[in-house]
Amino acid sequence: MLQDFELSGTGVMLSIFILFLATMALIWFFKIKFSKINPDTLTEKHKHIVREVGARAKYPEVDNFSMSGQFLRYGLLVALAFTLFGLSWTTREEKVVIPEGALDLTEEIEVEPPRTAEPPPPPPPPPPPTIQEVPDEEVIEQPKMESQEITEETKIEEKKEEVKAPPPPPPPPPPKPKEEEIFKIVEQMPRFPGCENVAGDNKAKDDCAKQKMLEYIYKNVKYPPIARENGVEGTSVIQFVVDTDGTITNITVARDPGAGLGDAAKIVVESMNKMSAKWTPGKQRGRPVRVQYTLPVKFKLEG
């Protein structure tokens, strides 16, 4: 019977609070009840009554011990309730549903090149030149002819051309920063954090990291309301780069089923940078390198 009776932490605290209020209300009730009794009235009422030997109270109306049985039963009831709450308090972890074959990809995914803006239209051709007619009255001045005749008395001055030094060559441009190569397959692929202390070889650590990654994704991913309302399902494929320090960069949506599923998967991957621990970077020949990681995220509505 008690097997199906379960309470969360909030339910237990609420039940204890209700019992506390009930106990305080009971104490307050009897306090008010006894305070309303007038001692003079009791004295007048019992002045001709002989009090029994061994009586615990002078007047029966204010005898608290007469209700000891009721208080005992109430205390046992409260103790039983506390015991029941303690046995029914459950701290179950939320079950994460991971789709079957969550990391399977049926075909090679290639990142589409980013679409650039369309070039602006070419400018309109210039208007044709206008021909202006020259009036007949315009007199064209004839150039003056100077004599080029050379005689013995003509002095020829030799012009010395100034030789100018060539300008200094421009300084060479600064070398471009060398970008580290991005690998797709390395000797040790990047791993989701939390499995470095797992006993076993790299394969055991990889399997543990993949399981923890899937639990993180399907626990934190939010199914878009518009996709849920329209019954849209599918697999979003996210590609990102695990940097040499474990940071997630260059996050792109390689496949988007639509209705916001691609953006929802991208948000979950971006949230990995906010975790307390970072990814273990991939290694090639013993040194950390940048590695591209492809991650499918499956969205399926529960029947």
Side-chain angles (χ1 to χ4, degrees):
M1 177 179 177
L2 297 177
Q3 187 176 2
D4 298 331
F5 184 71
E6 298 177 353
L7 285 176
S8 62
T10 305
V12 171
M13 295 302 296
L14 183 60
S15 302
I16 293 176
F17 182 70
I18 292 175
L19 284 177
F20 174 77
L21 290 180
T23 304
M24 295 302 296
L26 189 63
I27 294 173
W28 187 259
F29 169 75
F30 282 103
K31 183 178 179 181
I32 293 176
K33 177 182 177 182
F34 290 141
S35 64
K36 289 183 177 180
I37 298 176
N38 190 351
D40 297 335
T41 305
L42 292 176
T43 303
E44 184 66 26
K45 180 180 179 181
H46 293 277
K47 67 179 180 179
H48 300 296
I49 300 176
V50 179
R51 187 163 57 95
E52 297 180 3
V53 179
R56 290 172 296 187
K58 185 175 181 180
Y59 304 119
E61 289 83 356
V62 292
D63 186 7
N64 295 333
F65 294 98
S66 62
M67 303 185 65
S68 58
Q70 289 86 340
F71 285 125
L72 177 61
R73 285 190 286 271
Y74 178 78
L76 292 175
L77 180 63
V78 171
L80 180 62
F82 274 106
T83 305
L84 182 62
F85 294 155
L87 295 176
S88 304
W89 186 2
T90 58
T91 56
R92 244 179 239 175
E93 295 184 0
E94 182 180 357
K95 185 178 180 181
V96 180
V97 179
I98 300 176
E100 185 178 356
L103 295 177
D104 295 342
L105 279 175
T106 57
E107 58 184 14
E108 186 70 20
I109 302 297
E110 296 182 358
V111 179
E112 298 181 358
R115 298 180 180 180
T116 57
E118 296 183 359
T130 57
I131 302 175
Q132 295 181 355
E133 185 178 357
V134 179
D136 296 339
E137 290 80 7
E138 185 176 355
V139 178
I140 301 176
E141 295 182 358
Q142 297 293 332
K144 294 181 181 180
M145 303 297 293
E146 295 182 359
S147 176
Q148 302 293 329
E149 184 179 357
I150 299 175
T151 61
E152 295 178 357
E153 298 177 354
T154 304
K155 295 180 179 181
I156 300 175
E157 296 179 357
E158 183 179 359
K159 294 183 178 180
K160 295 182 179 181
E161 295 182 358
E162 296 181 359
V163 179
K164 296 182 179 180
K176 295 182 179 180
K178 185 179 179 181
E179 295 185 359
E180 296 185 11
E181 183 181 359
I182 299 177
F183 295 84
K184 288 188 176 181
I185 299 177
V186 291
E187 297 172 354
Q188 179 181 316
M189 292 296 289
R191 288 196 290 260
F192 191 82
C195 294
E196 292 307 307
N197 296 327
V198 174
D201 55 2
N202 283 334
K203 184 179 183 306
K205 294 181 179 180
D206 288 341
D207 294 340
C208 170
K210 289 178 181 178
Q211 181 66 24
K212 285 186 175 295
M213 179 183 65
L214 291 175
E215 291 176 358
Y216 176 86
I217 289 173
Y218 290 101
K219 181 179 180 181
N220 294 280
V221 69
K222 305 296 183 184
Y223 212 111
I226 186 172
R228 188 184 299 276
E229 292 172 1
N230 293 277
V232 179
E233 299 179 343
T235 301
S236 299
V237 180
I238 306 298
Q239 286 186 331
F240 55 91
V241 174
V242 181
D243 219 322
T244 54
D245 62 348
T247 306
I248 305 298
T249 60
N250 300 351
I251 305 172
T252 57
V253 181
R255 180 193 293 169
D256 188 358
L261 298 182
D263 292 336
K266 184 179 180 181
I267 290 173
V268 175
V269 175
E270 289 175 344
S271 68
M272 294 180 183
N273 285 327
K274 300 178 182 179
M275 297 188 303
S276 58
K278 294 185 178 181
W279 278 58
T280 301
K283 291 184 179 180
Q284 182 73 5
R285 296 179 181 177
R287 67 180 185 90
V289 293
R290 305 176 71 196
V291 182
Q292 185 184 62
Y293 201 97
T294 301
L295 175 65
V297 180
K298 295 187 177 182
F299 292 88
K300 185 174 180 60
L301 293 171
E302 298 179 358

